[in-house]
Amino acid sequence: MRIAGNNYISVIYGVVVGLLLIEISLVLAAPFAAQSWYPFFTVVASAGYKTIYPGPALIAAMLALGVASAFVVPRRYYGVFVVVLIIAAVVAIAILGSLASCAACKWWFCSKVQSCGLEVGWLYVKNICICYSP
């Protein structure tokens, strides 16, 4: 199969944008993710933390959105758009993710929090919530 012209650059850009959108979605949904969100997220609960992975619907939707954005955004702005998404991901991880994770831990799970936080990996997020035991 031959890709006409330089459209392979657009496809690569679209996949990168889609992966960044998946990561941002995981971080923003991590404090609120529940077991019943399967088509969009896969949640694996364990003692003290839960790990959130992207589900098939989220992967398909975000990759389609990324590839569609490749044909809407002019090629000269590809680098700017990727840098803006990277900055958005870092801000979401550093500020919103950790604050929301600790707030959800305190409000919904335990009144005395021993440890809380957000561990972010490539295409997974681990929401940590450990309570003091009386």
Side-chain angles (χ1 to χ4, degrees):
M1 185 168 125
R2 184 175 170 215
I3 299 176
N6 287 330
N7 283 343
Y8 65 90
I9 293 172
S10 297
V11 172
I12 292 170
Y13 163 81
V15 170
V16 168
V17 167
L19 291 174
L20 285 170
L21 290 174
I22 290 171
E23 193 68 35
I24 291 170
S25 300
L26 282 175
V27 169
L28 294 179
F32 314 106
Q35 300 288 350
S36 61
W37 289 17
Y38 168 67
F40 294 102
F41 301 100
T42 302
V43 179
V44 179
S46 188
Y49 61 90
K50 61 183 175 180
T51 307
I52 298 98
Y53 300 99
L58 182 71
I59 292 172
M62 291 302 155
L63 286 179
L65 184 63
V67 171
S69 76
F71 298 105
V72 174
V73 174
R75 189 168 285 169
R76 67 176 177 248
Y77 296 120
Y78 280 3
V80 173
F81 196 64
V82 169
V83 168
V84 166
L85 280 177
I86 290 172
I87 291 171
V90 168
V91 167
I93 292 167
I95 298 172
L96 300 175
S98 295
L99 287 176
S101 172
C102 290
C105 181
K106 183 171 178 66
W107 291 337
W108 293 326
F109 299 114
C110 53
S111 59
K112 294 184 178 182
V113 178
Q114 180 179 359
S115 176
C116 66
L118 202 64
E119 178 184 324
V120 180
W122 188 239
L123 297 182
Y124 79 90
V125 175
K126 189 180 288 186
N127 192 2
I128 302 165
C129 180
I130 301 173
C131 306
Y132 280 116
S133 56

